[in-house]
Amino acid sequence: MTQPPIQKRTCDLLIVGGGINGVGIARDAVGRGLEVILCEQHDLAQHTSSASTKLIHGGLRYLEYYEFALVRKALLEREVLLRAAPHIISPLRFVMPHDASQRPAWMIRAGLFLYDYLAKRRFLPGSASIALKRHVAGAPLKDDYQRAFVYSDGWVDDARLVVLNALDASELGARIMTRTKCLSAQASGAGWRAQLQDEQGARYEISARAIVNAAGPWTAHFADAINGGQHRYGLRLIKGSHIVVPRLFDHPFAYIFQNPDKRIIFAIPYQNDFTLIGTTDLEYKGNPDHVTIDADEIAYLCAMANRYFTRQITAQDVVWTYSGVRPLLDDSAKNASAVTRDYHLECNHKGPPLLNVWGGKITTYRKLAEEAMAILAERLDVRALSWTATVPLPGGDLEYAGKLVERYDFDAFLQRFCAALPWLPQPLAARYAHCYGTRAGRMLGGATQMSDLGEELAPGLFAVEACYLVDVEWARSAEDILWRRTKLGLRCQPQHVARLTEWLAARNGLQPQPTV
């Protein structure tokens, strides 16, 4: 059988990895005038970047490890991201019940004082002490807990944050190639020659002036493969698992619980009807492609939640789980929980530029991208300045087109959106507003009544939205749509997944993707 010809393309920057760091660098680079190609072997955010605890936060617990610079950097970014994407990032108040057998009250107060004042807060209130008997957050808790501390951070739809960065990069001119693996790359004169292959077997030869290795858990493997192991840094792969259970409380606060092993877990309101509990921290030696929660992790998370909540949960209450491998910078810490969440960017000095991204966390991805471009700018003769701190992500311009919000007021935007489309049921309108922000109307494609939305392929998922996700947001499978572009999988039965899979195959003329 004759092989199809290899397609040849050129660019300034080839980015390997479609997680948050890869797409963040792609957006920044293309906005400075570089020709960018990004390849991702699977779907965008399919691994680590969709398996977080869904928080934009400074990392209160990192203060115990004296990571003051990292916490300050993350707190500054928390404000930037709240302004850039207020539809998918929202303020969240956390309640920490005081357990005298764990950290003493003076230590918590000192930590919260630092947390409040390490960086300027524009949107978020400061910390406080509360009496649980007189506060709504005390009702679901055991009577053992009398007082608590409250502080602010942010919640994020992590997978959509990745997609929106990729979408902005694409609209600025970057080529985003999902389900396309970088097979190899060789230095060639002043640049690189890389070989890519997509899932249909099509081959591409890419000539690039520089490569960014943002492959997440595969970073060390890719660096070894193309640069002969010439890198100073490495990764520790830490598995973090989460469980989702039916809603354990009715108020909008989240909880942070201290536990006897000195770890903390979060219990967070999730998708209106559920509570998200996590995370674990375990060394991981397996294949990052196939990471799953185990029975001991489920039992651990249930037990830690049961120390605090009156309503007790077991494994039978769990409606969904997810696990991810965090590729953390190896700092030789003995305890997995103590491994730094900071990052290091390593660029070679000889030959064409190869920038390896070691570590990181979702909150600091934009700053990481800025720093990556600062390293590459001289090598690639880039004169344009950093820009991403002042431009909203797609759909995030809730007040004025193309402008950052001046205050966080998503409810005002939602009211305007619902008033403009009174025929949309309020829960559906709210989901559209949160997912797409000011681009929700573009997604709806001029629909003026429910029948214009097309077939309801799964609960809450109509054909018009599925078409948009395929045509604009690189979705290919039911899993892409139900678990990364949306979280409608929580409300689906197997027959809904089968119908969506069938619809996608018919629309795309492809073999059906595996069901979820």
Side-chain angles (χ1 to χ4, degrees), residues 198-259:
D198 68 20
E199 63 179 346
Q200 304 302 318
R203 301 283 289 270
Y204 305 87
E205 183 176 280
I206 308 297
S207 296
R209 296 168 61 201
I211 290 179
V212 169
N213 172 14
W218 295 270
T219 297
H221 175 79
F222 186 73
D224 289 339
I226 72 170
N227 203 32
Q230 297 180 33
H231 51 86
R232 293 175 54 199
Y233 297 88
L235 296 174
R236 283 179 71 174
L237 301 185
I238 307 297
K239 182 172 74 162
S241 296
H242 299 76
I243 60 174
V244 175
V245 299
R247 187 170 59 190
L248 296 175
F249 46 89
D250 295 328
H251 57 73
F253 291 84
Y255 294 94
I256 175 172
F257 293 148
Q258 306 174 82
N259 296 303

Side-chain angles (χ1 to χ4, degrees), residues 144-158:
D144 303 359
Y145 304 102
Q146 302 294 316
R147 60 184 299 204
F149 300 93
V150 183
Y151 69 96
S152 296
D153 263 321
W155 181 91
V156 63
D157 187 328
D158 51 6

Side-chain angles (χ1 to χ4, degrees), residues 140-405:
L141 300 176
K142 293 180 177 178
D143 290 338
D144 303 359
Y145 304 102
Q146 302 294 316
R147 60 184 299 204
F149 300 93
V150 183
Y151 69 96
S152 296
D153 263 321
W155 181 91
V156 63
D157 187 328
D158 51 6
R160 289 210 60 76
L161 184 64
V162 174
V163 169
L164 294 184
N165 273 271
L167 181 58
D168 208 23
S170 176
E171 292 179 350
L172 290 168
R175 182 173 180 84
I176 308 297
M177 303 176 68
T178 63
R179 291 177 166 82
T180 301
K181 187 173 184 177
C182 184
L183 300 175
S184 62
Q186 304 84 30
S188 178
W192 291 93
R193 183 173 298 156
Q195 293 73 43
L196 313 183
Q197 180 173 297
D198 68 20
E199 63 179 346
Q200 304 302 318
R203 301 283 289 270
Y204 305 87
E205 183 176 280
I206 308 297
S207 296
R209 296 168 61 201
I211 290 179
V212 169
N213 172 14
W218 295 270
T219 297
H221 175 79
F222 186 73
D224 289 339
I226 72 170
N227 203 32
Q230 297 180 33
H231 51 86
R232 293 175 54 199
Y233 297 88
L235 296 174
R236 283 179 71 174
L237 301 185
I238 307 297
K239 182 172 74 162
S241 296
H242 299 76
I243 60 174
V244 175
V245 299
R247 187 170 59 190
L248 296 175
F249 46 89
D250 295 328
H251 57 73
F253 291 84
Y255 294 94
I256 175 172
F257 293 148
Q258 306 174 82
N259 296 303
D261 59 3
K262 300 303 180 182
R263 294 205 63 254
I264 58 96
I265 66 165
F266 296 98
I268 301 169
Y270 193 62
Q271 298 296 314
N272 299 318
D273 300 320
F274 304 94
T275 299
L276 171 65
I277 299 171
T279 180
T280 58
D281 272 325
L282 299 172
E283 296 277 356
Y284 188 75
K285 304 295 185 183
N287 184 348
D289 268 344
H290 306 294
V291 54
T292 58
I293 196 169
D294 61 38
D296 287 343
E297 288 178 285
I298 294 175
Y300 171 84
L301 292 174
C302 289
M304 294 304 99
N306 288 342
R307 291 190 71 246
Y308 288 87
F309 286 124
T310 301
R311 177 180 166 187
Q312 302 289 281
I313 58 173
T314 69
Q316 284 67 46
D317 295 299
V318 175
V319 298
W320 183 47
T321 68
Y322 64 90
S323 301
V325 175
R326 305 185 193 106
L328 303 182
L329 179 66
D330 191 353
D331 61 357
S332 301
K334 293 181 180 180
N335 188 320
S337 297
V339 181
T340 182
R341 267 54 175 178
D342 210 347
Y343 54 82
H344 187 81
L345 303 173
E346 179 185 30
C347 193
N348 57 348
H349 298 291
K350 295 182 179 179
L354 169 64
L355 180 70
N356 294 316
V357 178
W358 303 105
K361 53 181 286 188
I362 197 165
T363 305
T364 52
Y365 86 90
R366 193 204 62 84
K367 194 65 179 175
L368 181 152
E370 270 191 352
E371 294 176 15
M373 287 307 303
I375 292 171
L376 292 170
E378 185 175 350
R379 303 280 295 272
L380 298 179
D381 192 30
V382 176
R383 305 298 175 87
L385 300 177
S386 58
W387 62 278
T388 56
T390 59
V391 178
L393 284 163
D397 48 350
L398 302 187
E399 294 172 347
Y400 303 102
K403 302 293 184 182
L404 295 173
V405 296

